[in-house]
Amino acid sequence: MSEAILDVQDKPKTGQWISLSLQHMFAMFGATILVPQLVGLSPAIALLTSGIATIIFILITQFKVPAYLGSSFAFILPITIATKTGGIGSAMIGAMFVSLVYAIVALIIWKTGYHWLMKLLPPIVVGPVIIVIGLALSGTAVNMAMTIPVGNASEYSLLHFSAAIVTLLTAIICNIYFKNIISLMPILIGIIVGYGYSAAIGIIDYGVIADAKWFAVPEFLIPGVDYSFQVTPTLLFVMVPIAIVTISEHIGHQLVLGKIVNRNYIKDPGLHRSILGDGIGTFISSLVGGPPKTTYGENIGVLAITKVFSVYVIFGAAVFAIVFSFFGKLMAVIETIPTAVLGGISILLFGIIASSGLRMLVDNNIDFGNNRNLVISSVILVIGIGGAKIEFSETFSIEGMALAAIVGVILNLVLPGMNKEEVDDGTE
C-alpha cells in the first residue's frame, strides 16, 4: 500500500476529524439500518449499538485496529426464524449465546493459536454456507420488492416494483460506474434515490414523521423487563451455528485490513482480541435490543481509498452514530422507507452475499473435480436452501442454514482426504 495520509495512531485536526468520521458513518449507515428494518428491530437501537460496539472493539484491541462494527446480514434469517418461534426476545437471547461462542473461541485461540480454527472452518465449508445465507433470503427480497400487503395476504404491485427497480439500478450504477467514495456507499445512495422516487409516485406515508419528536430515546429491549429470559435448544441451534460464518468473515476482514494498513493483526493485537471485541460488542448490542455485529467491509474500503487509517477517525464515527440514534425525526424518516425500496436494495445485497461465497471458493482454488469437495458443497447447498429439518420434539429442532453449517463441518472432519488448511497471517 502507498504511504498513509494518517496512520493508525495519528490524530487528525478537529475539522478534518469531523468530516472524515462523518464519511465513515455514512458508509456504514445504509447497511446498518437496513438489517433492523428487515427483522423488525429499531433502526435507532441498531445505530446506537453499532457505535457502542465499535468503541468496545477499539478499546479491547488497544486502539490498534481501525474497524467499524455494524449490523450483521448473516443473522437476518436466524433472527426472523427465532422471532416467529419465540418472539424478538428469543432472537436477542440467541445473539447473546453467539457472543459466548466468540468468547470461547477467543480464549482457545489465546491459549493454542488459530490454525485449528482454519482446519475446522475451511473455505469448502464456509463458502457454501455463505451462498446458502444469500439464496435462502432471495425469496424475501423479491416479495418485498414487488408485493404489497392486502389484509392477511399480499398482491403484486407494478408501481411499488418500479420503486424497487429504481433503487436497485441506482445502487448498481454507484457500485459499477463510480470508483471514488460513492462506490462504497451504494446502499445508502440507492435508498436515498429510491425514497425520492417513491415520494414522487406517492407511495410514502409521512404521518409518523409529523408525530415523531426531535429528540427520542431509542427503543430498548431489556431481558426480564421486555421479555422473559427463556433458553430452548431450538433457539440455540437456530442462532449459534451462524458463528461459523461470522467468525470466518471476521478473520477475512482482519487479513484484508492488515494488508491495507500494513499491520499484522492476527499477531498484534491478536486474533483472540479482535474476535473477543466483536463478541462483546454483539453481547452488549443484544442485551439492549440491537442486532448482532460484525466488522464492515464498507469501512475497510473507505480506508483503502482515502489512505486515512486513523483509529480515532473510526472512534469519531462511532460517537456520531450514537448521537444520531437520538434524533427522533431522522429515525421516523427511516421508518417511512417503503418496503419496495428495501426489497430493491436487498436483491443486490443478498445476491452479493451469495456471490461472496462463490468468490471464496474461487479465490481458494477449490477443485470441484475432487469428489470430496463436490459432496460437501452439494449437501450444504441443498440442506440449507431446501430447508431440511431434524425435529427431535415439538420444542427442539435443527433446520435450514444452521443444519447445513453443522453438517458441513461434520462432513469436512470425517470424510477422507482433508487438506491441511493454512491461513495467510500477513507474515513473509
Side-chain angles (χ1 to χ4, degrees):
M1 295 298 296
S2 58
E3 187 175 348
I5 295 174
L6 285 174
D7 209 351
V8 175
Q9 299 300 322
D10 293 342
K11 290 184 179 180
K13 296 179 181 178
T14 303
Q16 189 182 32
W17 197 342
I18 292 173
S19 62
L20 291 171
S21 292
L22 282 172
Q23 181 172 255
H24 269 284
M25 192 201 75
F26 284 119
M28 66 82 193
F29 191 89
T32 290
I33 65 170
L34 178 59
V35 173
Q37 287 284 83
L38 296 176
V39 299
L41 291 171
S42 162
I45 202 69
L47 200 57
L48 173 66
T49 53
S50 77
I52 293 173
T54 299
I55 291 173
I56 290 171
F57 179 86
I58 290 173
L59 291 173
I60 290 177
T61 55
Q62 303 172 322
F63 278 77
K64 294 180 179 179
V65 185
Y68 194 94
L69 270 61
S71 306
S72 173
F73 281 85
F75 287 95
I76 291 175
L77 190 57
I79 289 175
T80 303
I81 294 172
T83 301
K84 287 181 179 178
T85 57
I88 193 64
S90 65
M92 297 299 98
I93 295 169
M96 293 178 200
F97 277 92
V98 169
S99 66
L100 179 61
V101 172
Y102 275 67
I104 293 171
V105 170
L107 177 62
I108 297 174
I109 290 175
W110 179 45
K111 292 295 184 181
T112 66
Y114 57 83
H115 288 283
W116 65 271
L117 185 61
M118 308 316 296
K119 182 178 180 180
L120 187 67
L121 304 176
I124 188 55
V125 172
V126 178
V129 171
I130 293 175
I131 295 172
V132 167
I133 290 173
L135 295 185
L137 290 165
S138 59
T140 300
V142 172
N143 285 331
M144 288 173 63
M146 67 182 188
T147 64
I148 55 174
V150 178
N152 295 324
S154 61
E155 66 178 31
Y156 177 82
S157 170
L158 180 59
L159 186 66
H160 285 73
F161 196 23
S162 69
I165 293 171
V166 168
T167 304
L168 175 61
L169 289 177
T170 301
I172 291 172
I173 290 169
C174 288
N175 189 258
I176 299 297
Y177 293 100
F178 291 87
K179 300 302 179 185
N180 51 22
I181 198 70
I182 292 177
S183 68
L184 297 170
M185 295 190 286
I187 299 171
L188 179 62
I189 297 172
I191 290 174
I192 290 172
V193 173
Y195 190 90
Y197 176 81
S198 299
I201 62 176
I203 62 171
I204 299 177
D205 179 6
Y206 297 103
V208 67
I209 300 175
D211 296 336
K213 298 178 180 178
W214 284 101
F215 174 84
V217 177
E219 299 173 19
F220 293 96
L221 290 174
I222 308 299
V225 177
D226 298 297
Y227 59 89
S228 59
F229 195 93
Q230 185 176 2
V231 182
T232 65
T234 297
L235 168 63
L236 297 181
F237 278 101
V238 164
M239 297 285 290
V240 171
I242 308 307
I244 292 172
V245 173
T246 53
I247 289 176
S248 299
E249 178 185 45
H250 176 92
I251 295 170
H253 282 169
Q254 292 301 99
L255 292 172
V256 171
L257 181 59
K259 289 177 180 178
I260 289 173
V261 305
N262 195 28
R263 302 286 198 283
N264 184 347
Y265 286 135
I266 302 299
K267 290 190 174 182
D268 183 27
L271 188 58
H272 62 289
R273 279 187 175 273
S274 62
I275 287 179
L276 181 63
D278 206 336
I280 293 179
T282 291
F283 179 79
I284 297 300
S285 176
S286 57
L287 194 62
V288 297
K293 304 304 179 191
T294 186
T295 47
Y296 258 29
E298 291 93 331
N299 296 90
I300 294 174
V302 172
L303 293 174
I305 284 183
T306 62
K307 303 296 187 295
V308 174
F309 305 148
S310 173
V311 72
Y312 296 99
V313 170
I314 301 294
F315 193 98
V319 172
F320 277 124
I322 293 171
V323 172
F324 271 56
S325 70
F326 288 89
F327 278 66
K329 290 289 186 184
L330 174 62
M331 294 301 110
V333 170
I334 291 170
E335 286 184 42
T336 65
I337 298 173
T339 301
V341 170
L342 299 178
I345 206 70
S346 295
I347 289 173
L348 178 62
L349 278 173
F350 298 160
I352 288 176
I353 292 172
S355 297
S356 66
L358 289 172
R359 180 176 177 177
M360 175 178 283
L361 296 173
V362 172
D363 288 349
N364 287 276
N365 299 313
I366 300 300
D367 179 15
F368 283 99
N370 182 324
N371 285 339
R372 182 181 188 277
N373 293 336
L374 191 63
V375 166
I376 293 173
S377 61
S378 300
V379 172
I380 290 173
L381 290 172
V382 174
I383 286 178
I385 298 172
K389 176 169 67 172
I390 298 179
E391 191 171 295
F392 298 95
S393 67
E394 291 185 2
T395 59
F396 179 29
S397 63
I398 310 173
E399 59 186 282
M401 190 191 313
L403 180 60
I406 294 170
V407 169
V409 169
I410 293 173
L411 286 177
N412 178 65
L413 293 175
V414 301
L415 292 180
M418 180 170 61
N419 294 324
K420 291 183 178 180
E421 299 292 337
E422 297 291 339
V423 62
D424 176 10
D425 63 5
T427 57
E428 296 296 335

